[in-house]
Amino acid sequence: MSAAIRLAWRGQGHVEPNPMVGCLIVRDGVVIGEGYHAKFGGPHAEVAALQSLDSVDDARGATAYVTLEPCCHFGKTPPCADALVDAGVGRVVIAMQDPFEQVAGGGITRLRAAGIGVTVGVLGDEAAAMNAPFIKRVREGRPWVIAKWAMTIDGRIATESGESQWITGASSRAAVHQLRGRVDAIVVGMGTVIADDPMLDARPPGARVANRIVFCRRRLPGIDSKLVRTAAGVPLWLVAGPEVDAEKLRQLASLGAKVIPVATGDGVGMVDQAIGELAKNGATNVMLEGGGELLSSFFAANQVDECHVYIGAKAFGGAAAPGPIGGVGVASLDQAWRFELRELDRFDGDVRLIYRRSAD
């Protein structure tokens, strides 16, 4: 199952909003077939594994190890549970049940009804961690939110005068572009748009072209901004509060921007009202690239699931030099947002720490 999970990870960025799934077919302890869900709309892992066999008869009586319950409904592809039944496998070992309501145990029932032995729960926690974004979207109707920032060893994201480019080196920035190339949306606030005039694209392009989302409390991007100039070809969404200029908003919509109106200009309220719309529009993974105020709104709304923290080998000092999360913060230690370290990587002289929200 561990090998099947490693195989499933290859689909990251290519299969969303579907989950990542891997499958091995084993006979007498020897792997005779393997496959993973490689592309949205393409063959699922079980079918890919069956297709990899030397002969269609090789699956008969063999054991299939699958990281997620085989589907039992007709979607983009036929049911995988039926494919395993038709192939004559003797046993199926499943890491976890699929939370999607059109499956949710139905695939397991289908296999058992055909006389196939089924074991569920092998490395289930590891499989669930891999597909945590998919699970959150299915169960809560909200996307997985990744906050990214770069800071110095003394926790500053800019000098007192506002300089921030570059805190980290070229290798770290390349890793950020890889992340941009696998998420469904990149979110910034108007402060970032005004300060940097960003494109919010991945260079080189990745598996996905992210929707570019700007939270607009009072101000809107200029017509000459890179985001607006490219809105006809690359999706631009404006989460617009009630205080923005309505006429200018209509003008930006005519130039290709999609408007998500919200009834409040309060940062936390804007997050609460807008984030569900992102999932409805197919977003599984959302990346925050905004400044401290945007991050503070998402943290205060309890909508940050994962943090990618890049630490450059520099120190700025200065009492007024900003840190990554603005706003008022928490009043006491027991109110702190808690995370668990999942990964540590080095990029030349920089360090990347990946945290996930603690279950406690």
Side-chain angles (χ1 to χ4, degrees):
M1 187 62 74
S2 181
I5 290 173
R6 289 195 300 272
L7 192 62
W9 274 109
R10 296 185 188 179
Q12 186 179 52
H14 298 271
V15 301
E16 292 83 353
N18 283 354
M20 293 176 280
V21 184
C23 177
L24 297 183
I25 299 175
V26 178
R27 181 185 298 280
D28 299 327
V30 177
V31 176
I32 60 173
E34 64 177 40
Y36 67 99
H37 188 27
K39 183 179 180 180
F40 178 71
H44 286 187
E46 299 91 329
V47 172
L50 292 170
Q51 291 175 343
S52 76
L53 296 172
D54 291 335
S55 168
V56 293
D57 296 325
D58 288 349
R60 194 159 302 280
T63 298
Y65 289 82
V66 190
T67 60
L68 187 70
E69 175 185 6
C71 62
C72 56
H73 68 293
F74 281 88
K76 295 283 185 182
T77 62
C80 293
D82 288 354
L84 293 172
V85 171
D86 293 343
V89 299
R91 181 171 174 243
V92 179
V93 181
I94 300 168
M96 62 171 289
Q97 183 174 308
D98 192 336
F100 185 49
E101 63 180 1
Q102 293 187 44
V103 184
I108 295 170
T109 299
R110 173 74 181 93
L111 293 170
R112 286 176 172 159
I116 296 173
V118 178
T119 301
V120 183
V122 177
L123 295 186
D125 289 345
E126 189 174 337
M130 174 178 66
N131 275 317
F134 165 76
I135 294 169
K136 182 184 179 187
R137 184 177 56 79
V138 168
R139 289 179 175 169
E140 301 179 25
R142 295 180 174 228
W144 186 261
V145 177
I146 303 168
K148 186 280 300 180
W149 67 83
M151 67 183 187
T152 62
I153 59 175
D154 58 336
R156 269 67 168 182
I157 63 170
T159 65
E160 287 191 354
S161 64
E163 287 188 69
S164 61
Q165 295 183 345
W166 297 100
I167 290 174
T168 55
S171 295
S172 291
R173 297 196 296 275
V176 171
H177 279 277
Q178 288 178 353
L179 178 60
R180 284 184 177 186
R182 72 163 178 84
V183 299
D184 301 297
I186 300 171
V187 182
V188 296
M190 274 304 302
T192 297
V193 173
I194 292 171
D196 300 336
D197 190 21
M199 267 291 290
L200 302 181
D201 57 348
R203 299 183 296 273
R208 313 183 80 74
V209 176
N211 296 299
R212 302 166 307 167
I213 300 170
V214 183
F215 272 65
C216 310
R217 289 185 181 183
R218 300 176 184 86
R219 301 173 293 182
L220 290 165
I223 292 176
D224 293 332
S225 66
K226 293 176 183 175
L227 292 174
V228 174
R229 293 204 314 265
T230 57
V234 184
L236 172 64
W237 299 359
L238 305 177
V239 178
E243 296 181 52
V244 301
D245 185 315
E247 178 57 36
K248 185 176 180 182
L249 188 62
R250 283 192 289 271
Q251 184 180 22
L252 295 178
S254 71
L255 294 173
K258 176 177 179 177
V259 177
I260 301 177
V262 292
T264 176
D266 170 73
V268 175
M270 292 180 75
V271 171
D272 282 336
Q273 291 184 33
I275 197 166
E277 291 299 314
L278 305 186
K280 289 179 184 177
N281 283 273
T284 299
N285 292 286
V286 170
M287 177 184 181
L288 306 182
E289 286 231 58
E293 292 305 309
L294 181 79
L295 287 178
S296 72
S297 296
F298 272 84
F299 272 96
N302 288 314
Q303 287 302 322
V304 176
D305 301 290
E306 186 170 312
C307 299
H308 290 216
V309 183
Y310 291 82
I311 302 176
K314 299 178 177 73
F316 289 167
I325 304 173
V328 298
V330 299
S332 60
L333 282 174
D334 62 350
Q335 295 175 321
W337 303 292
R338 298 184 183 278
F339 291 80
E340 299 173 349
L341 180 64
R342 293 299 184 94
E343 191 174 328
L344 188 156
D345 304 290
R346 295 188 63 175
F347 296 94
D348 298 329
D350 304 329
V351 174
R352 179 181 66 185
L353 306 173
I354 297 181
Y355 293 89
R356 279 196 174 185
R357 180 190 292 274
S358 173
D360 298 334

